[in-house]
Amino acid sequence: MKTLIVIKISLIVLLFGIAVVGCKKDEKNYPDIPNAVYIVAKVNTGPYPGAVTAVGNTASGSPAVPVAGARVYVNTPKDYDVVVNFTISGTAVVDVNYTLPTYTSVRIPAGQYSAEILIPIKNVPVTVNKTVIITLTSASNNVELGLGSVKAYKNFTYTITKP
């Protein structure tokens, strides 16, 4: 009988020890999620004929599409505004294929996820595809540009397609 009690107590102690070790806190140190902004296609480009958009950092449309749109996102909502500066380049010609926006930065308000960059496209036929490239150049409040270790999605390319 004493042997049975000793065995039971030993099993209880053993099971308790396993439970304590099994519930031990994970001691891995994971880095914080970085504050980052990135740019993708404005998904709802509207009912414009010839618009083709995929969720990604490219989009295309015929010259009949009146506006090329991109959205700049923060990866997590902030409790402060984030101002993101950008430049525009590409093979499309300003005032021939598109109108340069009057702004070179967008503000993502505190608590929001995104802001839009809109590029008015001129309805002028092209003989070869032309590109309008938006490049994020800086962001306020130490917010990084791009996602992941390769810092992807810092550029957005809109292609004005030939018929």
Side-chain angles (χ1 to χ4, degrees):
M1 183 72 126
K2 286 183 179 180
T3 307
L4 188 57
I5 291 174
V6 170
I7 292 174
K8 286 181 181 179
I9 292 173
S10 298
L11 283 174
I12 290 171
V13 169
L14 179 65
L15 291 175
F16 180 74
I18 291 172
V20 168
V21 171
C23 295
K24 193 174 185 181
K25 183 179 175 187
D26 186 6
E27 294 187 20
K28 291 182 182 179
N29 291 324
Y30 295 102
D32 292 334
I33 296 173
N35 290 321
V37 294
Y38 58 98
I39 188 168
V40 295
K42 180 183 172 197
V43 175
N44 57 342
T45 55
Y48 311 118
V52 177
T53 305
V55 177
N57 62 342
T58 63
S60 63
S62 75
V65 176
V67 178
R71 284 202 176 120
V72 179
Y73 285 91
V74 290
N75 62 335
T76 59
K78 312 296 180 217
D79 57 359
Y80 49 83
D81 290 356
V82 176
V83 176
V84 182
N85 298 303
F86 63 90
T87 60
I88 297 177
S89 61
T91 59
V93 179
V94 175
D95 295 328
V96 173
N97 304 115
Y98 70 97
T99 302
L100 197 62
T102 58
Y103 52 94
T104 56
S105 65
V106 292
R107 181 178 62 86
I108 302 172
Q112 301 294 311
Y113 278 100
S114 67
E116 292 185 351
I117 300 173
L118 302 175
I119 310 291
I121 303 298
K122 294 192 175 274
N123 191 0
V124 175
V126 293
T127 56
V128 297
N129 291 349
K130 301 282 187 171
T131 58
V132 178
I133 302 169
I134 301 170
T135 303
L136 304 182
T137 57
S138 65
S140 63
N141 296 308
N142 294 318
V143 175
E144 298 176 12
L145 301 176
L147 294 175
S149 60
V150 296
K151 301 300 180 195
Y153 292 92
K154 292 186 292 189
N155 300 306
F156 170 79
T157 301
Y158 184 80
T159 302
I160 304 168
T161 57
K162 68 179 185 168

